[in-house]
Amino acid sequence: MIDGITLADLVAKSTQGLMLPAHRQAAEKRVKRDYPEGIAPYGADALRFTFAALSTHGARSTST
């Protein structure tokens, strides 16, 4: 994710190994819809910040 990926490469990775043409077409359509320009490269700091922002602080297991 840090390096980024072009749309063409992302489609190729997302459809690799899919045997049914319907599944391949659906995956390609979904990738093109969700990532029309591929995935831009992000620095490691941005990735670490995102993980920190999404983490839950102070959550405890409530097993009894």
Side-chain angles (χ1 to χ4, degrees), residues 16-30:
Q16 181 180 358
L18 297 177
M19 301 297 285
L20 297 174
H23 290 174
R24 182 178 302 249
Q25 292 167 352
E28 185 173 343
K29 183 179 177 181
R30 190 170 36 256

Side-chain angles (χ1 to χ4, degrees), residues 5-64:
I5 190 167
T6 64
L7 178 60
D9 290 339
L10 184 58
V11 168
K13 279 188 164 201
S14 298
T15 58
Q16 181 180 358
L18 297 177
M19 301 297 285
L20 297 174
H23 290 174
R24 182 178 302 249
Q25 292 167 352
E28 185 173 343
K29 183 179 177 181
R30 190 170 36 256
V31 167
K32 287 181 177 181
R33 180 194 68 211
D34 293 343
Y35 305 100
E37 297 177 16
I39 299 175
Y42 290 96
D45 289 339
L47 186 61
R48 283 193 291 265
F49 176 79
T50 301
F51 286 150
L54 294 175
S55 67
T56 320
H57 297 287
R60 285 190 243 171
S61 175
T62 57
S63 59
T64 54

